Amino acid sequence: MANRSHLYTCDDIPPRDGFYARGLSEYNWDIPLVHKVMMANAPRVVRSAIWARDIGVLAERAGAFERTLAFFARIGEGELPARDGFDAELAEMRAFLGAAPPTKYLLLEAGEIFDIMGGDLGGHARQLVGEIADLGARVDRAIAGGEAPWLAQLRANWQKAARPGWWSEVLYYSFEPAEAAEQSS
C-alpha cells in the first residue's frame, strides 16, 4: 500500500453524520507543495474524516484555487526542464479546479504520511499547520514578484519539488454524498 496525502473539498467540518467530501488530489509518499499551497487560507487542525484522531487539516477554500494557480503560473514563467510535462500538469490542474463545484472548505488528510514519520500524529498535524501558514506568506510574495531564488530552485527541480500534480474526484478514500448513501441502503 502506498501512503498518500489526500486533498478534498467540502462544506462541513468532519466528523459529522453524513459527512461528504469531494476528492481533488492525492499524492504518494509525501505531502506535495501543491497540497500545502492549497491549504494556506486559515489552516487549522480538525478531527480527521479518515482516522479517529485530530490530525485532519481544514482551510477556507475562498481564494485557494486562484492563489495556487497563480503560484504555479509564476513557476511556469521561468526556464523549466521537461516543460511539456509541467505545462500539461498545469493545464490539467487548471481545468479540474475550474470545474470543481463551489464549497466552503478544503480538507487535507495526511494521516498516512504522519504515520510513516512515526511519533505523535497530532504533533505532525500541528507542525504542518505552522509550516503551511509560513508557506502562504512566501507564496504570496512569490506571486507578487519576490522570492526569485526560491522560484529558481522550484523551477530547476519542479518534478520533485513543485509538481502541479494529478487531479481526480476518485481518491483511495472517498466519501459518498448523503443521498447516494441513502439510496444504497
Side-chain angles (χ1 to χ4, degrees), residues 2 8 14 30-31 42 63 72 75 78 81 83 94 108-109 115 121 124 126 136 138 157 167 179:
Y8 302 91
D30 197 6
I31 304 167
F72 279 86
I75 292 170
R83 164 145 319 263
R94 191 174 284 123
L108 178 62
E109 290 283 356
D115 192 44
L121 302 184
H124 292 310
R126 290 186 298 277
R138 193 172 195 191
N157 190 25
W167 302 87
E179 57 275 1

Side-chain angles (χ1 to χ4, degrees), residues 119-161:
D120 176 28
L121 302 184
H124 292 310
R126 290 186 298 277
Q127 182 178 7
L128 177 62
V129 166
E131 178 187 337
I132 289 169
D134 293 342
L135 177 66
R138 193 172 195 191
V139 165
D140 289 343
R141 288 191 302 271
I143 292 168
E147 297 288 344
W150 181 48
L151 287 170
Q153 288 174 337
L154 295 175
R155 288 176 183 128
N157 190 25
W158 75 266
Q159 292 147 311
K160 291 191 180 204

Side-chain angles (χ1 to χ4, degrees), residues 49-106:
I50 298 171
W51 297 62
R53 297 184 174 166
D54 293 341
I55 60 170
V57 177
L58 190 80
E60 303 294 323
R61 177 174 158 183
F65 289 7
E66 296 81 5
R67 171 193 277 136
T68 304
L69 290 168
F71 177 64
F72 279 86
R74 177 68 72 186
I75 292 170
E77 290 175 359
E79 190 94 12
L80 295 167
R83 164 145 319 263
D84 291 346
F86 180 88
D87 289 346
E89 285 187 31
L90 183 56
E92 178 187 343
M93 178 171 66
R94 191 174 284 123
F96 185 85
L97 295 179
T103 59
K104 191 170 181 180
Y105 303 110
L106 295 172

